[in-house]
């Protein structure tokens, strides 16, 4: 394994929601760089006693790459641990490109993204027949600008299921923009704070009252806002399990 580094998705919080492969690689690692502000430290419970652990919250990109390069040069087993899945707001691409430039090999081990953990703890399905068959993952503009064709107001017109990351601090503006963009003000909304952590909170409302409820709960970070009719109770049944519907595996019953 020396000479290669592993990017690992640590999952949303619950230390059992990491892949078996990710867990093993962390336990075997000599050098660990992890996103301390979001990764549950419990994930690092069974590391080697000699493992050197760096919190990337204190590091810039050059420093992260410097630590990886030095470790790989010394033949140390190195892992870079991201929250959720690294492919979603993980800033993983810029690291991979730098490693390509240095000729350092890497592999990515996926994780359970927080947006999937949120559906699990809400006990909902994002893609309900007749309600929404599309999920938009997005964020509000912060210091990272939004590309001009991806403004929230434009995305809202689809009335699809929407999962909004990194934006809980702007929830009032978020809701008013979603209404201006075309969601019914009574569209259900859930805010999930620290999904699967021991201090998880779930706040349920609609576009007119969720902001107030979130403020009352003092939720200011590490939360997802999920929006859409999928949170309601009206939908069509699936074709897949329809008893009259023939699939590749099963012949549908005759209608009487
Ligand atoms: N790669 C991560 C997302 C990193 S961006 C993933 O796949 O989940 C950080 C944002 O993700 C936070 O601002 C918050 O919006 C969301 N987030 C991360 N972990 C969360 C959790 N356990 N519960 C709710 N939201 C979470």
């Amino acid at each position: 394994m020396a000479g290669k580094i592993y990017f690992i998705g640590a999952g949303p919080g619950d230390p059992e929601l990491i892949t078996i492969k990710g867990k093993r690689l962390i336990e075997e690692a000599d050098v660990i760089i992890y996103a301390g502000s979001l990764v549950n430290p419990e994930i690092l419970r069974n590391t080697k006693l000699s493992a050197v652990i760096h919190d990337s919250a204190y590091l810039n990109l050059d420093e992260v790459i410097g630590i990886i390069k030095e470790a790989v040069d010394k033949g140390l087993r190195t892992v870079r641990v991201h929250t959720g899945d690294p492919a979603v707001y993980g800033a993983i691409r810029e690291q991979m490109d730098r490693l390509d430039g240095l000729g350092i090999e890497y592999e990515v081990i996926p994780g359970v993204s927080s947006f999937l953990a949120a559906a699990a703890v809400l006990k909902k399905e994002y893609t309900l027949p007749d309600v929404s068959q599309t999920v938009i993952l997005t964020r509000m503009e912060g210091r990272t600008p939004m590309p001009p064709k991806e403004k929230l107001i434009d995305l809202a017109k689809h009335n699809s299921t929407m999962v909004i990351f990194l934006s809980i601090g702007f929830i009032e503006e978020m809701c008013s923009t979603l209404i201006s963009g075309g969601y019914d003000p009574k569209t259900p909304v859930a805010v999930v704070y620290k999904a699967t952590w021991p201090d998880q909170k779930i706040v349920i409302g609609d576009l007119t009252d969720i902001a107030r409820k979130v403020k009352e709960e003092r939720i200011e970070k590490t939360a997802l806002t999920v929006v859409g009719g999928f949170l309601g109770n009206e939908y069509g049944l699936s074709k897949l399990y329809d008893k009259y519907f023939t699939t590749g595996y099963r012949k549908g019953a005759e209608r009487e």
Side-chain angles (χ1 to χ4, degrees):
M1 157 166 152
K4 181 171 180 183
I5 97 126
Y6 291 87
F7 290 95
I8 298 171
D14 178 344
E16 291 190 316
L17 290 178
I18 185 171
T19 61
I20 294 167
K21 190 165 189 174
K23 180 175 187 292
R24 173 177 62 77
L25 290 165
I26 289 173
E27 287 169 3
E28 292 172 357
D30 301 305
V31 177
I32 299 168
I33 307 169
Y34 82 115
S37 57
L38 279 167
V39 171
N40 190 341
E42 287 288 311
I43 293 277
L44 305 181
R45 191 183 260 262
N46 295 315
T47 52
K48 287 204 237 172
L49 274 180
S50 59
V52 179
I53 300 178
H54 301 270
D55 180 350
S56 59
Y58 301 98
L59 303 170
N60 63 35
L61 177 62
D62 289 342
E63 290 166 332
V64 170
I65 299 300
I67 291 168
I68 293 174
K69 179 161 187 344
E70 193 185 324
V72 169
D73 284 348
K74 287 186 184 153
L76 299 174
R77 294 161 185 241
T78 308
V79 295
R80 171 71 168 108
V81 183
H82 284 261
T83 180
D85 184 282
V88 182
Y89 303 114
I92 185 181
R93 176 65 193 269
E94 59 188 22
Q95 299 175 70
M96 295 192 289
D97 284 351
R98 291 281 287 269
L99 296 178
D100 284 341
L102 293 167
I104 296 174
E105 250 194 277
Y106 50 85
E107 185 175 332
V108 184
I109 315 298
V112 177
S113 178
S114 59
F115 85 92
L116 296 170
V121 301
L122 289 165
K123 303 190 171 73
K124 297 292 182 210
E125 175 175 352
Y126 286 139
T127 51
L128 286 182
D130 304 333
V131 177
S132 171
Q133 292 288 293
T134 304
V135 184
I136 295 180
L137 307 183
T138 190
R139 62 172 300 170
M140 302 266 290
E141 186 155 291
R143 278 180 297 181
T144 306
M146 290 302 284
K149 291 188 175 172
E150 295 181 17
K151 301 283 182 210
L152 193 62
I153 193 157
D154 298 322
L155 300 177
K157 76 168 178 230
H158 303 289
N159 279 212
S160 63
T161 298
M162 205 182 284
V163 183
I164 304 164
F165 286 73
L166 293 159
S167 306
I168 198 67
F170 313 106
I171 184 139
E172 275 158 358
E173 186 191 335
M174 184 195 304
C175 292
S176 57
T177 306
L178 290 172
I179 294 171
S180 312
Y183 280 92
D184 185 295
K186 288 290 165 198
T187 305
V189 183
V191 167
V192 183
Y193 168 75
K194 292 184 89 174
T196 79
W197 288 68
D199 51 346
Q200 162 186 302
K201 282 186 195 170
I202 295 176
V203 182
I204 306 279
D206 62 33
L207 285 171
T208 65
D209 64 9
I210 193 80
R212 175 179 54 76
K213 292 179 175 177
V214 162
K215 295 253 147 59
E216 278 166 14
E217 290 288 336
R218 297 184 196 288
I219 297 172
E220 286 159 4
K221 57 182 174 67
T222 327
L224 288 172
T225 308
V226 297
V227 183
F230 81 96
L231 289 163
N233 295 319
E234 275 170 37
Y235 61 95
L237 294 179
S238 73
K239 294 288 177 222
L240 185 59
Y241 298 109
D242 181 339
K243 72 172 172 177
Y244 298 114
F245 195 75
T246 297
T247 74
Y249 298 94
R250 181 171 67 71
K251 179 154 171 23
E254 297 288 332
R255 282 182 199 276
E256 284 116 46

